[in-house]
Amino acid sequence: MSGIASDPPRSPGAFRQFGVFLLNFLRHPLSVGTFAPSSPFLVRRLLRSGDWSRVQSVVEYGPGVGTITLPLLRELRPDARLLAIETNADFCRHLERHIADPRLIVAHRSAEAILSLMQEHSLPPADVILSGIPFTTLPPPLRERILDATVRALDRSGRFLVYQYTRAVERHLRERFERVVRSVEWRSPWPIQIFVCEGPQAR
Ligand SMILES: C[S@@+](CC[C@H](N)C(=O)[O-])C[C@H]1O[C@@H](n2cnc3c(N)ncnc32)[C@H](O)[C@@H]1O
């Protein structure tokens, strides 16, 4: 089902990825949220959650060192676009240096800027928004702005995929989506909560 663009993505190497990630966790523990990138089990599970061949416009919040970004690009069609929004400058540089793919846009901004970024890059409403940002440790007003903007940025039939260490964000998701299905990935240093949210409802 996958379509690879003219310049296939290259892997930056797991050891290097881990080093960059750990260093940035030590510098910014609250925004990075964990000491290691997502496990291969979580990545596979998130990628199995949908038919990516139907997807045209994807947004990833908090791509980090590209642990999900790279395999996701392998699944996406040649004409798809992936907007990766990341607040950490080191991670943005790492992504730009190691993922040469014309479908990828890396934005060094906060996820709350999603609507203006989509407009800037002429992107249609998102089919999927994938989020790894640690909502539990974000200031609540920022969390609210991000979730409200997410609902507005999604296509009506779009999905919001969220993975988190805790269930704290669940009630805020249920306030904004008609359907929220939760599952757990246990094969990780700490169990990961996964929320698949459908039916965005503007408040
Ligand atoms: C738990 S890490 C996930 C990294 C990567 N997606 C993975 O699965 O390994 C959280 C990421 O969210 C980023 N982040 C935190 N707050 C953010 C915000 N408001 N907007 C965009 N990215 C943010 C952090 O810099 C970090 O890269």
Side-chain angles (χ1 to χ4, degrees), residues 76-108:
L76 291 176
R77 298 188 327 213
D79 64 338
R81 308 291 302 280
L82 171 55
L83 169 64
I85 311 178
E86 173 58 67
T87 46
N88 184 297
D90 275 0
F91 291 162
C92 289
R93 268 193 297 276
H94 185 90
L95 293 169
E96 281 166 345
R97 197 169 296 157
H98 292 286
I99 306 183
D101 190 310
R103 297 169 298 173
L104 176 67
I105 302 161
V106 177
H108 180 207

mmCIF file of all heavy atoms in Angstrom, residues 76-108:
data_model
loop_
_atom_site.group_PDB
_atom_site.id
_atom_site.type_symbol
_atom_site.label_atom_id
_atom_site.label_comp_id
_atom_site.label_asym_id
_atom_site.label_seq_id
_atom_site.Cartn_x
_atom_site.Cartn_y
_atom_site.Cartn_z
ATOM 1 N N LEU A 76 2.873 6.348 3.561
ATOM 2 C CA LEU A 76 2.037 7.363 2.902
ATOM 3 C C LEU A 76 2.210 7.350 1.384
ATOM 4 O O LEU A 76 3.267 6.972 0.869
ATOM 5 C CB LEU A 76 2.386 8.757 3.442
ATOM 6 C CG LEU A 76 1.987 9.037 4.888
ATOM 7 C CD1 LEU A 76 2.479 10.430 5.308
ATOM 8 C CD2 LEU A 76 0.473 8.936 5.069
ATOM 9 N N ARG A 77 1.189 7.820 0.706
ATOM 10 C CA ARG A 77 1.207 7.898 -0.763
ATOM 11 C C ARG A 77 2.232 8.931 -1.226
ATOM 12 O O ARG A 77 2.580 9.848 -0.477
ATOM 13 C CB ARG A 77 -0.174 8.352 -1.264
ATOM 14 C CG ARG A 77 -1.272 7.410 -0.921
ATOM 15 C CD ARG A 77 -2.571 7.782 -1.577
ATOM 16 N NE ARG A 77 -2.844 9.206 -1.771
ATOM 17 C CZ ARG A 77 -4.052 9.739 -1.720
ATOM 18 N NH1 ARG A 77 -5.087 8.972 -1.427
ATOM 19 N NH2 ARG A 77 -4.254 11.004 -1.959
ATOM 20 N N PRO A 78 2.626 8.825 -2.509
ATOM 21 C CA PRO A 78 3.598 9.797 -3.026
ATOM 22 C C PRO A 78 3.069 11.231 -3.021
ATOM 23 O O PRO A 78 3.853 12.176 -2.948
ATOM 24 C CB PRO A 78 3.842 9.333 -4.466
ATOM 25 C CG PRO A 78 3.397 7.918 -4.512
ATOM 26 C CD PRO A 78 2.335 7.748 -3.470
ATOM 27 N N ASP A 79 1.735 11.400 -3.076
ATOM 28 C CA ASP A 79 1.191 12.761 -3.129
ATOM 29 C C ASP A 79 0.701 13.245 -1.760
ATOM 30 O O ASP A 79 0.079 14.302 -1.656
ATOM 31 C CB ASP A 79 0.048 12.846 -4.149
ATOM 32 C CG ASP A 79 -1.131 11.973 -3.740
ATOM 33 O OD1 ASP A 79 -0.927 11.027 -2.949
ATOM 34 O OD2 ASP A 79 -2.253 12.240 -4.200
ATOM 35 N N ALA A 80 0.959 12.485 -0.715
ATOM 36 C CA ALA A 80 0.520 12.910 0.633
ATOM 37 C C ALA A 80 1.467 13.991 1.155
ATOM 38 O O ALA A 80 2.560 14.193 0.638
ATOM 39 C CB ALA A 80 0.516 11.707 1.565
ATOM 40 N N ARG A 81 1.002 14.711 2.193
ATOM 41 C CA ARG A 81 1.858 15.699 2.871
ATOM 42 C C ARG A 81 1.839 15.392 4.357
ATOM 43 O O ARG A 81 0.792 15.010 4.904
ATOM 44 C CB ARG A 81 1.322 17.128 2.667
ATOM 45 C CG ARG A 81 1.046 17.541 1.247
ATOM 46 C CD ARG A 81 2.293 17.699 0.408
ATOM 47 N NE ARG A 81 3.249 18.673 0.918
ATOM 48 C CZ ARG A 81 3.137 20.007 0.754
ATOM 49 N NH1 ARG A 81 2.105 20.516 0.120
ATOM 50 N NH2 ARG A 81 4.056 20.830 1.232
ATOM 51 N N LEU A 82 2.975 15.562 4.984
ATOM 52 C CA LEU A 82 3.083 15.352 6.432
ATOM 53 C C LEU A 82 3.687 16.602 7.063
ATOM 54 O O LEU A 82 4.844 16.948 6.781
ATOM 55 C CB LEU A 82 3.957 14.123 6.723
ATOM 56 C CG LEU A 82 4.365 13.870 8.181
ATOM 57 C CD1 LEU A 82 3.160 13.790 9.108
ATOM 58 C CD2 LEU A 82 5.165 12.571 8.295
ATOM 59 N N LEU A 83 2.882 17.276 7.873
ATOM 60 C CA LEU A 83 3.337 18.472 8.589
ATOM 61 C C LEU A 83 3.741 18.035 10.001
ATOM 62 O O LEU A 83 2.895 17.550 10.760
ATOM 63 C CB LEU A 83 2.202 19.498 8.648
ATOM 64 C CG LEU A 83 2.390 20.702 9.573
ATOM 65 C CD1 LEU A 83 3.562 21.580 9.128
ATOM 66 C CD2 LEU A 83 1.100 21.545 9.612
ATOM 67 N N ALA A 84 5.022 18.183 10.320
ATOM 68 C CA ALA A 84 5.527 17.778 11.641
ATOM 69 C C ALA A 84 5.810 19.048 12.441
ATOM 70 O O ALA A 84 6.640 19.865 12.049
ATOM 71 C CB ALA A 84 6.798 16.948 11.479
ATOM 72 N N ILE A 85 5.093 19.214 13.570
ATOM 73 C CA ILE A 85 5.216 20.446 14.368
ATOM 74 C C ILE A 85 5.947 20.110 15.660
ATOM 75 O O ILE A 85 5.481 19.263 16.444
ATOM 76 C CB ILE A 85 3.823 21.043 14.679
ATOM 77 C CG1 ILE A 85 2.966 21.137 13.410
ATOM 78 C CG2 ILE A 85 3.975 22.416 15.313
ATOM 79 C CD1 ILE A 85 1.554 21.671 13.649
ATOM 80 N N GLU A 86 7.056 20.776 15.891
ATOM 81 C CA GLU A 86 7.931 20.413 17.014
ATOM 82 C C GLU A 86 8.498 21.686 17.650
ATOM 83 O O GLU A 86 9.017 22.557 16.952
ATOM 84 C CB GLU A 86 9.051 19.507 16.464
ATOM 85 C CG GLU A 86 10.166 19.148 17.407
ATOM 86 C CD GLU A 86 9.694 18.437 18.671
ATOM 87 O OE1 GLU A 86 9.210 17.311 18.592
ATOM 88 O OE2 GLU A 86 9.813 19.047 19.761
ATOM 89 N N THR A 87 8.404 21.774 18.982
ATOM 90 C CA THR A 87 8.905 22.967 19.675
ATOM 91 C C THR A 87 10.423 22.929 19.909
ATOM 92 O O THR A 87 11.034 23.965 20.169
ATOM 93 C CB THR A 87 8.240 23.114 21.070
ATOM 94 O OG1 THR A 87 8.268 21.837 21.710
ATOM 95 C CG2 THR A 87 6.834 23.630 20.977
ATOM 96 N N ASN A 88 11.004 21.741 19.847
ATOM 97 C CA ASN A 88 12.422 21.595 20.208
ATOM 98 C C ASN A 88 13.317 21.813 18.976
ATOM 99 O O ASN A 88 13.223 21.076 17.985
ATOM 100 C CB ASN A 88 12.622 20.188 20.792
ATOM 101 C CG ASN A 88 14.024 19.963 21.280
ATOM 102 O OD1 ASN A 88 14.968 19.988 20.507
ATOM 103 N ND2 ASN A 88 14.165 19.746 22.582
ATOM 104 N N ALA A 89 14.209 22.817 19.074
ATOM 105 C CA ALA A 89 15.026 23.187 17.903
ATOM 106 C C ALA A 89 15.987 22.062 17.516
ATOM 107 O O ALA A 89 16.206 21.810 16.324
ATOM 108 C CB ALA A 89 15.800 24.462 18.210
ATOM 109 N N ASP A 90 16.571 21.361 18.501
ATOM 110 C CA ASP A 90 17.495 20.253 18.178
ATOM 111 C C ASP A 90 16.775 19.168 17.390
ATOM 112 O O ASP A 90 17.312 18.618 16.434
ATOM 113 C CB ASP A 90 18.021 19.600 19.470
ATOM 114 C CG ASP A 90 19.214 20.335 20.024
ATOM 115 O OD1 ASP A 90 19.636 21.339 19.403
ATOM 116 O OD2 ASP A 90 19.721 19.914 21.082
ATOM 117 N N PHE A 91 15.559 18.839 17.820
ATOM 118 C CA PHE A 91 14.805 17.799 17.122
ATOM 119 C C PHE A 91 14.471 18.246 15.691
ATOM 120 O O PHE A 91 14.548 17.453 14.749
ATOM 121 C CB PHE A 91 13.511 17.459 17.876
ATOM 122 C CG PHE A 91 13.722 16.745 19.188
ATOM 123 C CD1 PHE A 91 12.716 16.704 20.145
ATOM 124 C CD2 PHE A 91 14.925 16.103 19.472
ATOM 125 C CE1 PHE A 91 12.896 16.043 21.355
ATOM 126 C CE2 PHE A 91 15.120 15.430 20.687
ATOM 127 C CZ PHE A 91 14.096 15.403 21.628
ATOM 128 N N CYS A 92 14.113 19.520 15.530
ATOM 129 C CA CYS A 92 13.803 20.013 14.172
ATOM 130 C C CYS A 92 15.032 19.885 13.273
ATOM 131 O O CYS A 92 14.930 19.417 12.143
ATOM 132 C CB CYS A 92 13.341 21.470 14.215
ATOM 133 S SG CYS A 92 11.702 21.648 14.932
ATOM 134 N N ARG A 93 16.192 20.291 13.798
ATOM 135 C CA ARG A 93 17.428 20.179 13.004
ATOM 136 C C ARG A 93 17.696 18.720 12.656
ATOM 137 O O ARG A 93 18.067 18.389 11.532
ATOM 138 C CB ARG A 93 18.616 20.741 13.808
ATOM 139 C CG ARG A 93 18.870 22.226 13.541
ATOM 140 C CD ARG A 93 20.212 22.651 14.093
ATOM 141 N NE ARG A 93 20.285 22.513 15.541
ATOM 142 C CZ ARG A 93 19.842 23.432 16.402
ATOM 143 N NH1 ARG A 93 19.322 24.560 15.961
ATOM 144 N NH2 ARG A 93 19.933 23.245 17.697
ATOM 145 N N HIS A 94 17.514 17.841 13.627
ATOM 146 C CA HIS A 94 17.758 16.410 13.413
ATOM 147 C C HIS A 94 16.839 15.880 12.295
ATOM 148 O O HIS A 94 17.291 15.165 11.400
ATOM 149 C CB HIS A 94 17.498 15.670 14.725
ATOM 150 C CG HIS A 94 17.831 14.217 14.682
ATOM 151 N ND1 HIS A 94 19.078 13.721 14.997
ATOM 152 C CD2 HIS A 94 17.089 13.147 14.331
ATOM 153 C CE1 HIS A 94 19.076 12.407 14.852
ATOM 154 N NE2 HIS A 94 17.875 12.034 14.464
ATOM 155 N N LEU A 95 15.583 16.258 12.342
ATOM 156 C CA LEU A 95 14.636 15.783 11.318
ATOM 157 C C LEU A 95 15.037 16.300 9.942
ATOM 158 O O LEU A 95 15.042 15.555 8.959
ATOM 159 C CB LEU A 95 13.215 16.272 11.647
ATOM 160 C CG LEU A 95 12.562 15.692 12.901
ATOM 161 C CD1 LEU A 95 11.288 16.467 13.236
ATOM 162 C CD2 LEU A 95 12.238 14.219 12.707
ATOM 163 N N GLU A 96 15.371 17.600 9.891
ATOM 164 C CA GLU A 96 15.710 18.180 8.584
ATOM 165 C C GLU A 96 16.987 17.565 8.023
ATOM 166 O O GLU A 96 17.108 17.372 6.817
ATOM 167 C CB GLU A 96 15.843 19.697 8.717
ATOM 168 C CG GLU A 96 14.468 20.352 8.733
ATOM 169 C CD GLU A 96 14.489 21.790 9.196
ATOM 170 O OE1 GLU A 96 15.498 22.223 9.785
ATOM 171 O OE2 GLU A 96 13.471 22.470 8.994
ATOM 172 N N ARG A 97 17.905 17.229 8.908
ATOM 173 C CA ARG A 97 19.181 16.666 8.458
ATOM 174 C C ARG A 97 19.012 15.217 7.998
ATOM 175 O O ARG A 97 19.679 14.771 7.082
ATOM 176 C CB ARG A 97 20.168 16.730 9.622
ATOM 177 C CG ARG A 97 21.612 16.562 9.215
ATOM 178 C CD ARG A 97 22.524 16.902 10.372
ATOM 179 N NE ARG A 97 22.431 18.289 10.782
ATOM 180 C CZ ARG A 97 22.761 18.744 11.981
ATOM 181 N NH1 ARG A 97 23.165 17.933 12.914
ATOM 182 N NH2 ARG A 97 22.676 20.027 12.261
ATOM 183 N N HIS A 98 18.140 14.460 8.647
ATOM 184 C CA HIS A 98 18.114 13.012 8.415
ATOM 185 C C HIS A 98 16.931 12.514 7.605
ATOM 186 O O HIS A 98 16.933 11.356 7.206
ATOM 187 C CB HIS A 98 18.162 12.266 9.748
ATOM 188 C CG HIS A 98 19.469 12.431 10.444
ATOM 189 N ND1 HIS A 98 20.611 11.795 10.039
ATOM 190 C CD2 HIS A 98 19.819 13.216 11.489
ATOM 191 C CE1 HIS A 98 21.617 12.149 10.816
ATOM 192 N NE2 HIS A 98 21.162 13.019 11.702
ATOM 193 N N ILE A 99 15.937 13.329 7.405
ATOM 194 C CA ILE A 99 14.808 12.846 6.598
ATOM 195 C C ILE A 99 14.670 13.743 5.377
ATOM 196 O O ILE A 99 14.135 14.845 5.466
ATOM 197 C CB ILE A 99 13.483 12.800 7.400
ATOM 198 C CG1 ILE A 99 13.668 11.991 8.693
ATOM 199 C CG2 ILE A 99 12.385 12.188 6.543
ATOM 200 C CD1 ILE A 99 12.406 11.829 9.519
ATOM 201 N N ALA A 100 15.164 13.243 4.259
ATOM 202 C CA ALA A 100 15.078 14.000 3.008
ATOM 203 C C ALA A 100 13.876 13.471 2.241
ATOM 204 O O ALA A 100 13.978 12.483 1.531
ATOM 205 C CB ALA A 100 16.358 13.821 2.212
ATOM 206 N N ASP A 101 12.752 14.094 2.452
ATOM 207 C CA ASP A 101 11.526 13.636 1.784
ATOM 208 C C ASP A 101 10.692 14.864 1.458
ATOM 209 O O ASP A 101 10.332 15.626 2.363
ATOM 210 C CB ASP A 101 10.761 12.688 2.724
ATOM 211 C CG ASP A 101 9.617 11.992 2.012
ATOM 212 O OD1 ASP A 101 8.815 12.684 1.347
ATOM 213 O OD2 ASP A 101 9.522 10.759 2.125
ATOM 214 N N PRO A 102 10.391 15.065 0.178
ATOM 215 C CA PRO A 102 9.669 16.281 -0.203
ATOM 216 C C PRO A 102 8.252 16.358 0.369
ATOM 217 O O PRO A 102 7.639 17.429 0.375
ATOM 218 C CB PRO A 102 9.634 16.201 -1.736
ATOM 219 C CG PRO A 102 9.906 14.781 -2.075
ATOM 220 C CD PRO A 102 10.711 14.197 -0.959
ATOM 221 N N ARG A 103 7.736 15.235 0.878
ATOM 222 C CA ARG A 103 6.374 15.269 1.445
ATOM 223 C C ARG A 103 6.357 15.826 2.863
ATOM 224 O O ARG A 103 5.303 16.147 3.397
ATOM 225 C CB ARG A 103 5.786 13.847 1.451
ATOM 226 C CG ARG A 103 5.626 13.253 0.066
ATOM 227 C CD ARG A 103 5.308 11.791 0.139
ATOM 228 N NE ARG A 103 6.379 11.038 0.779
ATOM 229 C CZ ARG A 103 6.327 9.757 1.096
ATOM 230 N NH1 ARG A 103 5.230 9.067 0.828
ATOM 231 N NH2 ARG A 103 7.347 9.155 1.661
ATOM 232 N N LEU A 104 7.535 15.901 3.481
ATOM 233 C CA LEU A 104 7.612 16.305 4.893
ATOM 234 C C LEU A 104 7.864 17.806 5.033
ATOM 235 O O LEU A 104 8.769 18.358 4.405
ATOM 236 C CB LEU A 104 8.757 15.534 5.579
ATOM 237 C CG LEU A 104 9.044 15.899 7.039
ATOM 238 C CD1 LEU A 104 7.864 15.490 7.936
ATOM 239 C CD2 LEU A 104 10.325 15.208 7.523
ATOM 240 N N ILE A 105 7.060 18.435 5.885
ATOM 241 C CA ILE A 105 7.283 19.840 6.269
ATOM 242 C C ILE A 105 7.586 19.830 7.765
ATOM 243 O O ILE A 105 6.762 19.341 8.554
ATOM 244 C CB ILE A 105 6.009 20.683 6.036
ATOM 245 C CG1 ILE A 105 5.554 20.625 4.583
ATOM 246 C CG2 ILE A 105 6.217 22.126 6.489
ATOM 247 C CD1 ILE A 105 4.091 21.038 4.394
ATOM 248 N N VAL A 106 8.735 20.345 8.146
ATOM 249 C CA VAL A 106 9.071 20.426 9.574
ATOM 250 C C VAL A 106 8.866 21.871 10.016
ATOM 251 O O VAL A 106 9.441 22.791 9.436
ATOM 252 C CB VAL A 106 10.535 19.998 9.826
ATOM 253 C CG1 VAL A 106 10.894 20.161 11.305
ATOM 254 C CG2 VAL A 106 10.766 18.562 9.369
ATOM 255 N N ALA A 107 8.036 22.065 11.038
ATOM 256 C CA ALA A 107 7.771 23.425 11.529
ATOM 257 C C ALA A 107 8.257 23.535 12.970
ATOM 258 O O ALA A 107 7.803 22.781 13.845
ATOM 259 C CB ALA A 107 6.279 23.729 11.455
ATOM 260 N N HIS A 108 9.164 24.465 13.210
ATOM 261 C CA HIS A 108 9.660 24.688 14.575
ATOM 262 C C HIS A 108 8.697 25.628 15.301
ATOM 263 O O HIS A 108 8.960 26.823 15.454
ATOM 264 C CB HIS A 108 11.080 25.278 14.514
ATOM 265 C CG HIS A 108 11.656 25.531 15.866
ATOM 266 N ND1 HIS A 108 12.601 26.487 16.122
ATOM 267 C CD2 HIS A 108 11.392 24.934 17.066
ATOM 268 C CE1 HIS A 108 12.900 26.478 17.401
ATOM 269 N NE2 HIS A 108 12.180 25.564 18.003
#
